[in-house]
Amino acid sequence: MRKPMVAGNWKMNGLSSSVRALIEGIQQEPHLSSSIDMVVFPAAVHLSLVRDLLAGTSLAWGAQNLYLGENGAFTGEISGSMLTDLGCRYVLVGHSERRALFGEDSALVAAKFQAALQARLQPILCVGETLKQRERGETEKVIQEQLAAVVKKAGISAFRQALIAYEPVWAIGTGLTATPEQAQAVHIAIRRYLAEQEVDIAQTIRILYGGSLKADNAPQLLAMPDIDGGLVGGASLEAKSFLAICQEAMAVKLGQRVA
Ligand code: 13P
């Protein structure tokens, strides 16, 4: 069985005081992280604070971005080996905000994915279509292209160390969510694409859903057989709403509900 994961992408939010408060809030329910994987992705400047606050707990943390290589003249960038050195385990790669706002194309995303693995980080590869692409019926094609670029660069076996997050761009931060059926259809399509190359990877890789995931829509989305958890933006910025989604993941996926 694939272990459920709920990850909070904090994006460019938080000051050290609110980060402390949020971590403290999330730690109020330690039983959750013994059943499911819970991961937070703070801004880079808060990584070492979060590492220290989470030391000795089963909550994990990761970075939102990395750059290529180990070091060099890349002002403002952070390498995979710097993240590993810090104790980091996960890194997001190819988030739609990086693709759309910072011009990351599929080739750069693929190179970052490979750089993450070289640094022994576990990448969470984000894929997703825009509203226009969905309306034109191109959803599967777009996602296949995003995956294919990474397979071409890093090889299919690299996906053994990775997770995928399906985040329809039109659902991110908009309050719109993919219906459970829409999301499930894409998750299945991702597994089908991977299965053409390695059946066991298609079956074992964890695929998270992201895009206006909240406690009230989580039960239906997480009940879908090919959705293994969530990558949460806005609702991860408050301990209560993040924990509520984690509770739902535990209840729906593992049949455990804690009062
Ligand atoms: P929202 O949950 O705010 O829609 O953001 C999703 C996301 O981008 C997570 O990476």
Side-chain angles (χ1 to χ4, degrees):
M1 206 193 90
R2 298 183 295 262
K3 191 175 185 188
M5 175 187 281
V6 179
N9 175 8
W10 294 353
K11 307 191 180 183
M12 194 178 75
N13 289 293
L15 299 175
S16 49
S17 54
S18 59
V19 164
R20 277 176 197 280
L22 184 49
I23 292 287
E24 206 171 287
I26 295 173
Q27 284 180 306
Q28 297 306 308
E29 302 206 33
H31 57 276
L32 284 171
S33 56
S34 58
S35 303
I36 64 168
D37 281 339
M38 285 168 64
V39 189
V40 293
F41 289 88
V45 73
H46 294 135
L47 284 172
S48 54
L49 170 62
V50 167
R51 174 198 58 191
D52 294 347
L53 293 171
L54 292 182
T57 76
S58 50
L59 276 143
W61 52 279
Q64 298 173 15
N65 188 24
L66 83 167
Y67 195 60
L68 313 179
E70 284 189 33
N71 40 54
F74 302 108
T75 301
E77 295 296 335
I78 296 172
S79 72
S81 49
M82 290 172 182
L83 294 171
T84 314
D85 181 50
L86 208 60
C88 185
R89 172 155 173 211
Y90 297 98
V91 64
L92 301 181
V93 174
H95 191 279
S96 71
E97 285 147 19
R98 302 287 328 161
R99 293 181 195 256
L101 304 174
F102 301 96
E104 292 194 11
D105 60 14
S106 283
L108 179 57
V109 170
K112 287 190 171 194
F113 183 96
Q114 196 177 39
L117 290 173
Q118 274 163 357
R120 308 205 173 287
L121 295 163
Q122 243 182 305
I124 300 184
L125 174 67
C126 304
V127 296
E129 82 289 0
T130 63
L131 187 57
K132 274 212 170 68
Q133 290 165 332
R134 173 163 283 271
E135 285 169 352
R136 286 200 296 256
E138 295 172 0
T139 301
E140 276 195 31
K141 179 175 145 266
V142 166
I143 286 159
Q144 266 198 23
E145 281 168 5
Q146 291 171 342
L147 293 170
V150 179
V151 173
K152 187 170 160 217
K153 178 85 182 167
I156 185 69
S157 307
F159 281 82
R160 281 186 216 287
Q161 268 71 253
L163 290 90
I164 294 173
Y166 168 54
E167 300 206 304
V169 178
W170 49 272
I172 294 177
T174 58
L176 296 173
T177 339
T179 64
E181 294 72 25
Q182 283 172 326
Q184 167 67 12
V186 175
H187 283 230
I188 285 249
I190 293 171
R191 286 196 206 283
R192 207 185 306 124
Y193 172 78
L194 297 173
E196 284 166 15
Q197 302 163 73
E198 277 285 352
V199 172
D200 70 307
I201 291 177
Q203 287 166 349
T204 53
I205 194 165
R206 290 185 286 177
I207 308 180
L208 313 180
Y209 169 80
S212 299
L213 190 62
K214 309 262 184 293
D216 57 359
N217 57 33
Q220 296 78 27
L221 281 154
L222 298 178
M224 292 290 140
D226 288 287
I227 299 181
D228 303 315
L231 181 55
V232 188
S236 72
L237 295 174
E238 276 188 22
K240 196 165 164 247
S241 47
F242 184 64
L243 289 174
I245 296 171
C246 295
Q247 284 269 16
E248 293 302 339
M250 203 169 82
V252 172
K253 291 291 182 201
L254 307 175
Q256 301 170 20
R257 193 171 280 281
V258 179

